[in-house]
């Protein structure tokens, strides 16, 4: 682990850094999360033929945020975030036009016909709406 991460983790765990969590993604080596009291690490659950890594970090972050909103256990959130990041690495670009890939996610139970990441976060390449909280980015007038 890089020395800067060690230093940040130390600051977090001694209460000198005003963060709830520090998350470090490590590509095919998975991810690690630290809080003041614990450390959790995980590896992608399946091997994926890597076509393109563009969007993998965004995919991980989107599912991590969804897990926070849905109050999933950290272990569940880690597994699902790593799983979706691995799926994204299997296609070219950050998103897929094939909406079926989003509906295959085991936690997607919405039936919504759009680019669904989980059952609460919608990604359409230009904005993210947290549907679970009812938040939508303000739209410009006339748009």
């Amino acid at each position: 682990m890089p020395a800067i991460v060690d230093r940040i983790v130390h600051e977090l765990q001694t209460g000198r850094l005003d963060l709830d969590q520090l998350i470090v993604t490590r590509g095919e080596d998975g991810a690690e999360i630290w809080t003041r009291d614990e450390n959790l690490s995980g590896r992608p659950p399946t091997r994926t033929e890597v076509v393109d890594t563009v969007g993998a970090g965004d995919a991980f972050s989107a599912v991590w945020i969804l897990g926070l909103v849905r109050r999933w256990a950290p272990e569940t959130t880690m597994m699902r975030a790593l799983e979706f990041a691995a799926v994204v690495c299997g296609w070219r670009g950050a998103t897929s036009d094939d909406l079926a890939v989003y509906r295959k996610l085991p936690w997607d139970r919405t039936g919504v016909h759009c680019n669904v990441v989980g059952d609460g976060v919608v990604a359409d390449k230009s904005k993210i709406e947290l549907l679970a909280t009812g938040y939508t980015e303000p739209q410009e007038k006339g748009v």
Side-chain angles (χ1 to χ4, degrees), residues 25 53-66 81 84-85 88-89 93-95 117 121 123 125 128:
T25 58
T53 59
V54 171
D58 292 336
F60 181 94
S61 297
V63 175
W64 192 268
I65 291 167
L66 178 63
F84 188 54
V88 169
C89 287
T95 61
V117 179
V121 179
K125 298 182 185 177
I128 294 179

Side-chain angles (χ1 to χ4, degrees), residues 64-126:
W64 192 268
I65 291 167
L66 178 63
L68 292 173
V69 170
R70 294 285 178 183
R71 295 190 171 106
W72 293 338
E75 297 81 6
T76 299
T77 305
M78 175 73 80
M79 180 205 56
R80 289 175 175 175
L82 289 168
E83 177 185 0
F84 188 54
V87 167
V88 169
C89 287
W91 63 59
R92 180 130 339 263
T95 61
S96 175
D97 292 330
D98 179 5
L99 301 181
V101 299
Y102 300 102
R103 291 188 198 105
K104 290 178 188 175
L105 299 173
W107 59 89
D108 175 25
R109 302 291 180 252
T110 62
V112 176
H113 299 289
C114 55
N115 285 358
V116 177
V117 179
D119 58 353
V121 179
V122 175
D124 71 359
K125 298 182 185 177
S126 65

